[in-house]
Amino acid sequence: MKEIISSVYSPSENAIYQSALYNEYSAAGTWPRDGINITEGDVKQFNGGNKPSGKMLGFVNEKLLWIDLPPLTTEELAVAATAKKKRLIAEASDVIAPLLDAKDGGYIDETDLPVLIAWQKYRYAVTKVDPAKPVWPEKPAA
């Protein structure tokens, strides 16, 4: 039994377009010029909700496949490191704020003062991390 062609795959967009929406895509001028007919089985197997971790949709030897994601570029790695740096600084600041309030108010517990100092040192170390070559300091014990 031959499978019904239900959609097309666009290599240039690396996306699947449903043929049922052809009129809408066409009216918007977004129907792919390089569309390759694919079956309903392909649509079900390769929809975005089925994507395995670390994979992306690819077209190899006239077949849709899940292929490995390409490695991140140097710029993408730096952007990710910058985002992580901001996240870690914010996390440390959230821990430090109430402890610093207690210290400034003169009512910090003796057991909390070393915790405050450890988190302040950690936050400072995170601010020194170079996103181009990140080496992350160890987070203080919780």
Side-chain angles (χ1 to χ4, degrees), residues 43-121:
V43 172
K44 287 179 182 172
Q45 182 176 354
F46 295 105
N47 74 51
N50 294 336
K51 185 177 92 166
S53 178
K55 301 289 185 177
M56 63 181 271
L57 188 57
F59 195 68
V60 180
N61 296 327
E62 305 294 316
K63 291 178 133 181
L64 282 176
L65 300 171
W66 292 119
I67 60 174
D68 291 334
L69 285 169
L72 296 176
T73 66
T74 302
E75 294 80 20
E76 290 169 328
L77 289 169
V79 166
T82 299
K84 179 176 180 177
K85 182 175 177 175
K86 287 179 183 178
R87 217 174 36 255
L88 293 177
I89 290 170
E91 178 185 354
S93 295
D94 286 346
V95 173
I96 291 167
L99 295 170
L100 191 55
D101 288 348
K103 180 182 177 224
D104 291 346
Y107 52 87
I108 193 166
D109 293 340
E110 287 182 25
T111 57
D112 285 340
L113 189 56
V115 173
L116 170 63
I117 293 167
W119 277 96
Q120 286 175 318
K121 286 181 179 180

